[in-house]
Amino acid sequence: MTIAPAATEVNLETQFPGAVTADTRKNYSGYLVTPDKLVEVAQTLRDQAGYVYLSSATAVDYLEEGKLEMVYHLYRMEGGPALMLKAQTPRDNAVLPSLVSVFPGADFQEREAWDLYGIHFTGHPNLKRILMWEGFAGHPMRKDWKEAYFEEAGKPFEKRWPEGHVYRAEQNNPFGHNVAYPEGFTVEGWTPEADKALYAGMEKIAETDDSLKTDQIVVNLGPQHPSTHGVFRMVVTLDGETIVDLKPVMGYLHRNHEKIGERNTYIMNMPFTDRLDYISSMSNNMGYAITVEKLMGIKPPERAEYIRVMMAELTRITNHLWAIGFLLNDLGAFFTPALYAIEERELILDIFEATAGSRMMCNYLRFGGVARDLPAGMLELARELVFERLPRKIDELDAYLTENEIIRSRCIGVGVLTAEEAIAYSMAGPVLRASGVPYDVRRAEPYSIYDRLDFNVAVRYNGDVYDRYLIRIDEIRESLKILEQVIRDMPGGEIQTGKPQYQVRVPAGEAYGRVENPKGELGYYVVSNGKPNPYRYHIRAPSFINLTALGKMCQGHKVADVVVILGSIDIVLGETDR
Amino acid sequence: MYGLGILRGMGVVFKHFVNSYVDDLRWLGRRYYNPEALKVRQGPRGQGVFTVLYPEEKLTTPEEFRYIPFLLYEEKPGGVQEDRCTSCGICAKVCPPQCIWIERTNDPKTGRPIPAPKEFYIDIDICMNCGLCVEYCPFDAIKMDHDFEIASYDRTSAHIWNKAKLSKPVSYYASIRPTNYAREEAVRAEKEAKKAAKKE
């Protein structure tokens, strides 16, 4: 199988005269495409130029120009920088063609853009709200939309200093006064319209043949089901115990992280990124720091780079231990494997706590460095873990689980995703690599010091749950290899470029930074207009986009397998719902 | 052979099971309620049962551990408490969830601001323990605490902390963060020496 045809360079501007122009705004890059040619351009890029992977699709609201802009980041599977496409549409009648027919991975991302920005995508198969609920008034990410507890457009707020007369936000806007119900509304007598429509859409008429007639039923898994790892709901159509159709429903943990991010100043966003994928906060920090550093044009000193990579790889180990442990929980192996895995994770969290001050909400990275140096004895502790304990424990976990016949029979051949599908659905991280696509941002577009570290991109070829389990074991081993090099070569010196500043100056422009998070490619798209608060702050959340293929993976399997397949994607709802 | 994988897995569990008794024996009954043993149990060489018997046993918090911030005051002779805070407002400006409220003192005669806080509030329901206020305080006047047992029965009356509740002596800070304290004092002494040299 060829993942991508031999890439030929396509000169978009000559091939589509008048329809494609280079983006000439200062510190912007990519191409502006007229909406009517967007699908055609995307198709050409995919089929002729090898840009088969749609990483991120998001909107920006340019209020002053009266325009909404969709920004698409396309990548080649053999690596290299992004090709950015942008399409603009007026704010008051925002319509763009949907790219789902070219890149099925655009599905959820376009729904998000419709939900939060109100861009109507013509040709989208299921253009409904995804994070907010059906019936919500307005599109919250638009610049002129204000939240219920709105205080000011940007932090810091005037009321805090020097006349800080304290009050609680709810005193100003008590619950009850900011909610309006329609006439004659009672909670008991209310069936959500959206749910009714959703169920109606999923009820399928059973195929009638001469054999036994069976009804198909629609069942909710979640949102409060423990197997969903949080508040996530799957609406499934069942034929007996076999899944006919599955639709994920999310947004229960939605807090409009991106809107908060646009109210915040740049440095304030750092602790908020911890709360995205709260299992791996250090890597979240890293993605954000790298993006803003791109905009600012600074680089952290050598020692800081090493510390960052050390923390990011330790994070990968903790995340994969957690993922493996809870995959086993989903399989029914109640907590013994999970707790064996968590024991090692706790020891790594001890390092985070002693260095960053917190076990999970690390908030450790700063623009141009890290918050503080490693405390005395920390490198020795890390060395003992990485060289002595962890390899032994990973081998033990491997011996404990890998050959277990129950695990093999439950996992092998379940939830298969082929390489073509994985790319088309914009899957990322271990799920993509378990389907036989050796794509890892650390190698495809190296950041930090990964270009000089010796490690392999783990890859497995069957694309089932078992391979997604195996690849996590492989990746832990590769991470240990990286850690050995980092700890061995840790240089001395400064940990911060320049003086630490509480308000950084970020020149106007746009930047997309991405890192290989344990769960997949985590991207930050930040637009600055030179002010203290970011103009646009978008997160390409791997947990969210990886769910696009969940329905596809589950079809034809049993209810119990759905739980396992979801576990093998390894989602975190903090990041999915943002 | 079918079932061998399961048997090997059970072997691993059995090893863990036996190890927990072996480790109990090694400590000769002093495995629990013993700070020395706790350190080893929770370290990279720990074996056997990994749990901590909270609240009888408590893990020592590392120096950098951060919880709700507190304000520092110097203990001057005669029981006078001198706030280090000058109410410059940097902490309130950098606070991500905007939970710090500072009221500046104004001179009653001239009406001009005096560098001392009249009141200082932190809404601890909103505080996210990020520690940015501490990082950017130019006067070492606000620091993160180690006391994490602050649960209370009533949120509306007990969770906005004022200056009196937030203030703690410098000696307390020195006791929970000795390394940081020593480093900051050295920087202070150097600055003082420079100032003195300039005067002469």
Side-chain angles (χ1 to χ4, degrees), chain A residues 155-157 159-168 170 264 267-268 271-272 275 340 343 346-347 350 353-358 361-363 366 371-372 381 384-385 389 396 400 403-406 500-502, chain B residues 1-6 8-9 12-13 15-16 42-46 48 50 62 64-66 87-90 92-98 100-104 106 121 123 128 130 132 135-136 155-156 160:
Chain A
K155 291 173 186 174
F157 296 145
K159 281 185 178 157
R160 299 300 183 277
W161 177 88
E163 297 292 325
H165 302 296
V166 71
Y167 65 87
R168 290 196 309 276
E170 73 236 45
N264 282 347
I267 189 74
M268 284 179 190
F272 277 94
R275 285 139 176 94
Y340 286 178
E343 195 175 316
E346 289 295 318
L347 290 168
D350 283 345
E353 190 182 20
T355 313
S358 192
M361 304 295 125
C362 297
N363 182 24
R366 296 289 174 268
R372 56 186 79 80
L381 179 61
E384 188 159 1
L385 275 179
R389 180 165 175 131
E396 187 188 272
Y400 178 35
E403 291 304 318
N404 188 309
E405 282 81 0
I406 301 173
Q501 283 172 306
Y502 75 92
Chain B
M1 194 185 75
Y2 199 77
L4 210 66
I6 295 177
R8 200 180 303 143
V12 172
V13 178
K15 209 175 98 196
H16 272 253
Q42 290 288 316
R45 299 201 179 160
F50 193 66
E64 289 299 344
F65 176 75
R66 53 186 149 81
S87 70
C88 69
I90 287 180
K93 285 176 207 158
V94 78
C95 175
Q98 295 283 290
I100 300 179
W101 304 67
I102 305 168
E103 202 181 328
R104 198 167 53 192
N106 288 335
Y121 302 98
D123 188 337
M128 67 206 282
C130 67
L132 289 184
E135 253 178 79
Y136 296 104
R155 155 184 105 76
T156 49
I160 291 180

Side-chain angles (χ1 to χ4, degrees), chain A residues 108 158 212 368:
Chain A
F108 282 13
E158 289 287 323
L212 187 68

Side-chain angles (χ1 to χ4, degrees), chain A residues 175-294:
Chain A
F175 179 67
H177 293 210
N178 56 352
V179 186
Y181 295 105
E183 199 77 18
F185 176 87
T186 54
V187 175
E188 292 76 22
W190 180 60
T191 322
E193 286 290 318
D195 278 10
K196 230 194 263 173
L198 177 64
Y199 299 147
M202 296 196 64
E203 275 162 10
K204 303 226 170 90
I205 301 147
E207 282 141 45
T208 46
D209 53 4
D210 296 333
S211 64
L212 187 68
K213 260 194 178 171
T214 53
D215 267 350
Q216 297 192 342
I217 51 166
V218 179
V219 177
N220 273 307
L221 297 175
Q224 291 102 335
H225 196 269
S227 71
T228 59
H229 298 214
V231 277
F232 177 65
R233 177 168 145 218
M234 294 170 279
V235 186
V236 293
T237 310
L238 293 178
D239 179 8
E241 216 189 317
T242 311
I243 307 285
V244 180
D245 197 6
L246 181 145
K247 290 253 184 311
V249 181
M250 59 193 90
Y252 298 93
L253 207 61
H254 182 60
R255 53 208 183 272
N256 218 339
H257 180 97
E258 292 174 7
K259 188 88 176 178
I260 298 172
E262 290 174 13
R263 299 254 184 265
N264 282 347
T265 62
Y266 284 91
I267 189 74
M268 284 179 190
N269 274 338
M270 194 59 84
F272 277 94
T273 61
D274 291 338
R275 285 139 176 94
L276 286 167
D277 171 2
Y278 41 78
I279 309 289
S280 36
S281 64
M282 287 280 194
S283 328
N284 299 346
N285 284 181
M286 189 156 172
Y288 181 57
I290 282 175
T291 313
V292 178
E293 280 163 9
K294 260 190 196 173

